Amino acid sequence: MSLGPHLLLALLEGTVQAFVLALTALGLSLVFGVMRVVNVAHGTFFMLGAVVAWFCANLVGDHPTLGFLLALALSPIVVGSIAALCDVLVLRPLKHDPEATIVATIGLLYILEQGTLMTFGPDARPVEPPIQFRLLFPWFGYAGYKLVVVGASALLLLLVWVALKKMRIGLVMRATQFDSETAQNFGVPVERVYTGVFALGAMLAAIAGVLVVPVQQAHYLMGQDPLLLSFIVVIIGGLGSLRGTLAAAFVIGLSDGVISVFFSPTLAKILATLAVALVLVFRPQGLFGARQA
């Protein structure tokens, strides 16, 4: 293929990655923005979503569409419940202290990964796509399911934006974010809001894992790359800035797709890490983050 077809393929792959990354990083950004907690276990929730999808696919046997729909319904509930339990039993007793919760979420990462290894095993498990068709370009065919991932991710991002900007739940979260003590004085149950936000962030990561597992394979270590890229996105976009998170996710996702196709995935990760270093040196608050007083 010439340059044009390669570039088209790179942009298609980058777009898919950008939308999945935006969904995953949005959950991480919400948790930090409202709770000021750096959730190192966030990638593990992504992995758990994929593992639940594999479980659902095997549960229904030869009906991949039914299994996928079951996973979309069940995975956020299961993973969100695990995250809520982690907040109540681990983070809340630490009073959501920023430094202590970093160590605690590292511990949660290893506990959840090793627990998955013990029950799920070390092998990567494939999941059949719920929809199988190919888009035929003059130069190559492209899996149509990947475009379904883009559409589903875009719809979910829109729903989250509407909830945060137009509904009462978003108002409560913003009030808690800006001044938790004042919000509590006005009757906002801050601890319950924290638990809900932590669960919501995990649910978004889990759905991203469900969407991507037919493209990849379910594996107990598959959350490491999404965790790294999510941190890169959140740091570049600005900690706690949802607009910055979405913008950075599309920049990193598209550039990663293009560089991976033309060069190598390793080089894409190296350049993204260098971009983080430059942002930390020249604009520590991120491209869209507010400068701290």
Side-chain angles (χ1 to χ4, degrees):
M1 292 190 296
S2 61
L3 176 62
H6 275 98
L7 182 59
L8 175 60
L9 177 61
L11 291 175
L12 287 171
E13 290 295 311
T15 300
V16 174
Q17 176 151 334
F19 273 94
V20 174
L21 181 56
L23 201 57
T24 309
L26 179 59
L28 186 66
S29 182
L30 280 173
V31 169
F32 180 84
V34 176
M35 303 172 64
R36 291 295 184 262
V37 168
V38 178
N39 181 19
V40 184
H42 190 68
T44 311
F45 296 134
F46 177 95
M47 175 271 294
L48 289 175
V51 169
V52 172
W54 173 82
F55 174 80
C56 292
N58 280 267
L59 190 64
V60 299
D62 297 329
H63 301 85
T65 302
L66 180 60
F68 183 78
L69 294 176
L70 180 63
L72 279 179
L74 190 62
S75 177
I77 297 174
V78 172
V79 178
S81 300
I82 293 173
L85 193 63
C86 290
D87 178 71
V88 171
L89 297 181
V90 180
L91 304 185
R92 188 180 295 181
L94 296 174
K95 301 185 185 302
H96 299 100
D97 177 74
E99 295 180 357
T101 51
I102 291 177
V103 179
T105 54
I106 292 174
L108 288 174
L109 183 153
Y110 284 111
I111 290 172
L112 293 173
E113 276 191 354
Q114 293 305 309
T116 304
L117 174 62
M118 292 173 61
T119 57
F120 179 70
D123 299 327
R125 311 292 179 88
V127 175
E128 187 177 351
I131 300 174
Q132 297 196 28
F133 67 96
R134 296 184 69 81
L135 295 178
L136 297 179
F137 294 97
W139 315 277
F140 57 83
Y142 193 74
Y145 172 73
K146 293 183 178 181
L147 299 184
V148 174
V149 171
V150 170
S153 300
L155 178 60
L156 191 55
L157 289 169
L158 178 62
L159 292 176
V160 172
W161 181 85
V162 171
L164 293 177
K165 297 298 182 181
K166 306 295 183 180
M167 298 175 65
R168 184 176 183 274
I169 184 175
L171 178 63
V172 170
M173 289 169 59
R174 290 196 299 274
T176 305
Q177 175 183 358
F178 291 139
D179 193 333
S180 59
E181 292 185 5
T182 301
Q184 190 162 13
N185 291 335
F186 277 91
V188 174
V190 171
E191 293 296 337
R192 287 168 56 189
V193 172
Y194 282 168
T195 300
V197 168
F198 197 74
L200 176 61
M203 292 167 71
L204 290 173
I207 294 174
V210 173
L211 291 175
V212 83
V213 72
V215 179
Q216 302 179 7
Q217 292 185 342
H219 188 264
Y220 80 103
L221 294 176
M222 70 180 295
Q224 295 181 354
D225 277 352
L227 175 64
L228 172 63
L229 289 174
S230 294
F231 271 120
I232 289 173
V233 164
V234 171
I235 291 172
I236 291 178
L239 291 170
S241 171
L242 299 185
R243 180 182 60 169
T245 297
L246 295 176
F250 287 106
V251 171
I252 295 298
L254 286 171
S255 61
D256 187 271
V258 171
I259 295 171
S260 297
V261 169
F262 283 97
F263 300 98
S264 74
T266 302
L267 179 60
K269 303 298 186 296
I270 292 173
L271 293 178
T273 307
L274 288 175
V276 168
L278 291 174
V279 168
L280 290 175
V281 169
F282 295 105
R283 191 174 171 84
Q285 73 273 25
L287 298 181
F288 292 86
R291 186 179 296 273
Q292 300 296 320

